[in-house]
Amino acid sequence: MACAACGAGGASVCPGCLAEVVAALFVGGPRQVRPDPSPPGLVPVWAGGAYAGALARLIAAYKDGDRRDLRPLLVRLHQVVLAAAVRSVGPEVVAVPLPSSRRARRMRGDAPVGDLVGGSAQACDVRCVDSLMVCGQPADQARLSATERAVNLAGRIQLRPGRRVAVARTAAVILADDVITTGATIHEASRAIRSEGGQVVAAAVLAATPRQE
């Protein structure tokens, strides 16, 4: 077994990288973050720390490096954030994971972020409803500006058939993901849920990336 962040042998995450992860977490616990620039009307977003260093490498390894052994650690980190978001809005909520594109699901063979959110919600005793999907083939978001991301995702996120009534009847939805960069995905997911009568009250992510236009 090698450290998913630095490659050192001996553990999934070596002591040094684990210490770096802890250092990346916000002092005092999760807090609200807001990208700059920010989509208009973006819901309050709770994050656990900065998307940098070992934390960023672990998230990337979990999603795209086939390091599913990192799931327990990332679930523990995410559940702290989700719990903070729940406390801010009240207990009558459901967690809805942000969807991956069909291309990403095919490449990964599973839905690692959805699994992460499901584990986090279970640990917080919050119902998790996988109700969103990405339609078509949006471009890879990685190198797009905030404006380009918003255009790329416009109208792309929709509720899965058969999940519309369940979401519309839910008192409040907390969107959940691994990272926030520009807020475009959270904004588009919020639009999709609200268009069917649902109410999005917050979002919870592992980490936040400062991003400029």
Side-chain angles (χ1 to χ4, degrees), residues 134-190:
V134 178
C135 299
Q137 291 290 350
D140 186 353
Q141 298 270 86
R143 297 185 180 181
L144 300 183
S145 69
T147 300
E148 290 167 341
R149 285 185 176 218
V151 172
N152 186 47
L153 287 176
R156 295 282 194 180
I157 297 180
Q158 298 180 14
L159 285 163
R160 296 180 186 277
R163 301 292 175 89
R164 295 185 176 120
V165 173
V167 169
R169 290 178 178 174
T170 296
V173 169
I174 294 179
L175 296 171
D177 203 4
D178 58 336
V179 178
I180 180 172
T181 301
T182 67
T185 307
I186 291 173
H187 186 262
E188 174 60 18
S190 299

Side-chain angles (χ1 to χ4, degrees), residues 1-4 6-15 67 69:
M1 180 66 68
C3 174
C6 71
S12 294
V13 184
C14 73
R67 290 299 300 266
D69 55 300

Side-chain angles (χ1 to χ4, degrees), residues 21-33 45-51 55 81 205-209:
V21 168
V22 172
L25 301 179
F26 295 138
V27 175
R31 67 187 186 206
Q32 290 188 29
V33 298
V45 181
W46 290 83
Y51 184 70
L55 180 57
V81 185
V205 301
L206 275 172
T209 301

Side-chain angles (χ1 to χ4, degrees), residues 13 40 43 60 65 70 79 101 107 131 133 152 168 174 180 184 188-189 200:
V13 184
V43 297
L70 298 173
Q79 75 180 74
S101 67
M107 291 177 60
S131 59
M133 64 180 185
N152 186 47
I174 294 179
I180 180 172
E188 174 60 18
V200 181

